[in-house]
Amino acid sequence: MQKKTVKRSGAGASAPAPLQDERPANDGEGGASDQEIYERVITSIMEHRLPPGTKLGEDKLAKIFGVSRARVRQVLARLALERVVVLHPNRGAFVAEPTVEEAREVFEVRRPLEALVVHRIVAKKDPAIIARLRAHVAAEEAARAARDRRAIIRLSGEYHVLLAELSGSTLAARLMHELASLTCLIIFLYDAPTVPACRDQEHAEITQALADGDETTAIRLMAEHLEHVEACLDLSRGRPEELDLEAALAG
Amino acid sequence: MQKKTVKRSGAGASAPAPLQDERPANDGEGGASDQEIYERVITSIMEHRLPPGTKLGEDKLAKIFGVSRARVRQVLARLALERVVVLHPNRGAFVAEPTVEEAREVFEVRRPLEALVVHRIVAKKDPAIIARLRAHVAAEEAARAARDRRAIIRLSGEYHVLLAELSGSTLAARLMHELASLTCLIIFLYDAPTVPACRDQEHAEITQALADGDETTAIRLMAEHLEHVEACLDLSRGRPEELDLEAALAG
DNA sequence: AATATATCTTTTGTCGACAATTTATCGATA
DNA sequence: TATCGATAAATTGTCGACAAAAGATATATT
């Protein structure tokens, strides 16, 4: 039997702003709503079940979700705008393969953005927020106990999205959602095969500092956390394929 | 005769990443390309020729641009994702009306992002960059001389987008493009009718600090600049309509 | 006369079909 | 046998038509 996938932490994190006001939600029968399609696709991407470079054929997805191609097209366009997929004209949609440069840019932008979020959280002094964070950290630990690497990486990203959401800034939350998705792709692309146990209890430590209302420590821990994640990556050279290709041609 | 509108500074700024690889560009005849439609709409919004709350009917736009409704729909979806228009289900698309809260969030995120961009620019030490910036500042001054308030506001926003683009971070440039568009909307919504002469030569001063390679000063000037812009706004209460409505009902 | 209901108009949402482009397959030729 | 070219298959891009919902108008009723 396969490793069991840890369920996503129900309510909060990674629920990307609905973009439109709610609607009846076509939940009955075969057809899924746009939001559902979006979430299933991006979750699959974040969990690496759809690895970078995978072709996302419109007809194929349409049949899978039991909806028309136009629907799928909309979702793909949205994902493309979030840079999680790239569109090649007349060729179709593919799961994005962030370059090393893009990866560095993502971390570079995340750094100050995470600091801002931490600042806001501390300013709120809301026990309910701490409770939500602790619950999420617990879910992460469960995933780690279950050795579910995919869920671990996705939940790690969602911790930061949850943080941004709880900070009360819808803008920061939206940006963090996008950056977290990209970070997931980056980790799967560049993570050194050594060990994903790099950042284990850091989320718990950050949460504790937030609970203590210690902004300075929380920001420092967050900065270190991001550094650790980035340090675990192998960004010294381009991604495998391109490197191999160039090397082969050079030889 | 009407005040003449200053042309946009040709090449660089506010050219939002093409999202797709280039294509033949259906430039001939009546139909405009998606990118053209997008740029014309967002420029109109940034120049306040399409004020917040304006309905953007699909059929209407389709006829204006000589293109099918589906095309317009795509562009509107993109603008909605950038939060510069909002979609009401079964009601259509409207130019966004950012709330006071959203306005504050925009400035809050811009602050560290601009600092990051300044840092990158200084690190590059590229005279060509300074030249581009000076050219843009000159265009701003021309608009100011022409008393073209719309162009002034748009160009002010585009200065920051240009800065982000020249910094070499495509991610920062993309985010700045979005934030600058929203800032334009915010200024038009909340700018105190006192005087738009609030921030006049500040871009020139920042550019000079960048030319001197003085990062500390550049970052300080940028921070002050953003503070000044935000201070010029009247964010003390909600936007007119809603306030009037509530006040009327309360009385 | 004012409100509520019903009908009509306008606009959006959705879908399937056709056209254009790319990719794959097959055959011919050197 | 390998390469080049032509044909065929599959996939994306685009559009117009139909269905559904909201808004407006007119009518009937209290």
Side-chain angles (χ1 to χ4, degrees):
Chain A
M1 174 182 173
Q2 190 91 348
K3 283 176 293 191
K4 225 184 85 189
T5 294
V6 174
K7 285 281 167 52
R8 28 188 350 190
S9 67
S14 163
L19 177 59
Q20 291 193 177
D21 307 346
E22 306 295 339
R23 239 193 310 173
N26 169 22
D27 207 337
E29 199 63 32
S33 80
D34 283 21
Q35 190 68 13
E36 283 174 324
I37 299 175
Y38 169 85
E39 285 179 18
R40 282 189 54 183
V41 172
I42 203 169
T43 300
S44 294
I45 291 177
M46 287 180 79
E47 291 200 343
H48 209 227
R49 281 199 304 274
L50 293 174
T54 303
K55 164 136 195 198
L56 302 174
E58 297 182 355
D59 234 331
K60 208 164 289 187
L61 290 179
K63 287 204 175 62
I64 290 173
F65 290 107
V67 302
S68 76
R69 241 184 62 207
R71 224 40 157 322
V72 172
R73 227 178 142 69
Q74 285 181 16
V75 173
L76 290 177
R78 175 171 177 185
L79 291 165
L81 231 65
E82 294 175 356
R83 295 307 194 274
V84 158
V85 313
V86 292
L87 299 179
H88 296 273
N90 295 321
R91 302 250 339 267
F94 301 81
V95 178
E97 303 176 271
T99 65
V100 175
E101 202 52 46
E102 288 175 285
R104 290 219 176 83
E105 289 176 7
V106 167
F107 282 99
E108 188 180 35
V109 168
R110 275 190 68 172
R111 224 132 31 203
L113 187 61
E114 302 268 13
L116 187 153
V117 166
V118 166
H119 172 75
R120 286 185 70 114
I121 294 269
V122 170
K124 287 205 142 189
K125 292 200 219 306
D126 185 347
I129 289 179
I130 304 301
R132 293 281 301 275
L133 291 175
R134 289 221 162 102
H136 188 95
V137 169
E140 287 188 66
E141 276 166 12
R144 210 171 293 120
R147 297 268 195 284
D148 187 345
R149 181 161 179 269
R150 287 172 172 170
I152 291 173
I153 293 184
R154 175 174 55 75
L155 287 170
S156 289
E158 288 181 353
Y159 172 82
H160 295 267
V161 177
L162 179 62
L163 214 59
E165 287 174 357
L166 294 176
S167 83
S169 170
T170 59
L171 175 59
R174 191 155 53 82
L175 299 180
M176 195 65 81
H177 165 75
E178 182 177 334
L179 295 175
S181 309
L182 289 175
T183 302
C184 279
L185 276 182
I186 290 165
I187 288 177
F188 277 114
L189 266 176
Y190 298 109
D191 204 4
T194 62
V195 52
C198 171
R199 56 225 140 50
D200 251 13
Q201 79 295 30
E202 294 189 328
H203 285 178
E205 292 175 6
I206 292 170
T207 304
Q208 184 57 45
L210 291 173
D212 297 339
D214 187 346
E215 177 173 343
T216 309
T217 301
I219 288 183
R220 179 176 55 77
L221 288 175
M222 177 63 84
E224 289 174 4
H225 173 50
L226 291 175
E227 275 175 37
H228 291 164
V229 174
E230 194 173 357
C232 281
L233 303 182
D234 185 6
L235 297 181
S236 54
R237 48 190 165 287
R239 33 174 203 289
E241 312 173 37
E242 289 195 306
L243 180 70
D244 289 349
L245 188 62
E246 275 199 37
L249 292 172
Chain B
M1 172 184 174
Q2 190 92 348
K3 282 176 292 190
K4 227 184 83 188
T5 294
V6 173
K7 286 279 167 55
R8 28 191 347 190
S9 67
S14 163
L19 177 59
Q20 292 193 176
D21 306 346
E22 306 294 341
R23 239 194 309 173
N26 168 23
D27 207 337
E29 199 65 29
S33 79
D34 283 20
Q35 189 69 14
E36 283 174 323
I37 299 174
Y38 170 86
E39 285 179 18
R40 281 189 54 184
V41 172
I42 202 169
T43 300
S44 294
I45 291 177
M46 287 181 77
E47 291 200 343
H48 208 226
R49 281 198 303 273
L50 293 174
T54 303
K55 163 133 196 206
L56 301 174
E58 298 182 354
D59 234 331
K60 208 166 287 187
L61 291 179
K63 287 203 174 64
I64 289 173
F65 290 108
V67 79
S68 79
R69 240 183 64 205
R71 217 53 152 313
V72 172
R73 226 177 144 68
Q74 286 181 12
V75 173
L76 290 177
R78 175 172 177 184
L79 290 165
L81 233 66
E82 295 175 356
R83 295 305 194 276
V84 87
V85 313
V86 292
L87 299 179
H88 296 275
N90 295 320
R91 300 251 337 267
F94 301 81
V95 178
E97 303 177 271
T99 65
V100 175
E101 202 52 46
E102 288 176 287
R104 291 220 175 84
E105 290 175 6
V106 167
F107 281 99
E108 189 180 34
V109 168
R110 273 189 69 170
R111 225 136 26 206
L113 188 61
E114 301 269 12
L116 188 154
V117 166
V118 166
H119 173 75
R120 287 186 69 115
I121 293 269
V122 171
K124 286 205 142 190
K125 292 198 218 303
D126 185 346
I129 289 179
I130 305 301
R132 292 282 300 275
L133 291 175
R134 290 221 161 102
H136 188 94
V137 169
E140 287 188 66
E141 277 165 13
R144 210 172 293 120
R147 298 268 194 283
D148 187 345
R149 182 160 179 271
R150 287 173 171 168
I152 290 173
I153 294 183
R154 176 175 53 76
L155 287 170
S156 289
E158 288 181 353
Y159 172 81
H160 294 267
V161 177
L162 179 62
L163 214 59
E165 288 174 357
L166 294 175
S167 82
S169 170
T170 60
L171 175 59
R174 191 155 53 82
L175 299 181
M176 194 65 81
H177 166 74
E178 183 177 334
L179 295 174
S181 310
L182 289 175
T183 302
C184 280
L185 276 181
I186 290 165
I187 288 178
F188 277 114
L189 266 177
Y190 297 109
D191 203 3
T194 62
V195 52
C198 171
R199 56 223 140 53
D200 250 14
Q201 79 295 31
E202 293 188 330
H203 286 178
E205 291 175 7
I206 292 170
T207 304
Q208 184 56 45
L210 291 172
D212 297 339
D214 187 345
E215 178 173 342
T216 310
T217 301
I219 288 182
R220 180 177 55 77
L221 288 175
M222 178 63 83
E224 290 173 3
H225 174 50
L226 291 176
E227 277 175 36
H228 291 165
V229 174
E230 195 173 358
C232 282
L233 303 182
D234 185 7
L235 297 181
S236 54
R237 49 188 166 287
R239 32 175 205 289
E241 311 172 40
E242 287 195 306
L243 180 70
D244 288 350
L245 188 62
E246 276 200 38
L249 292 173

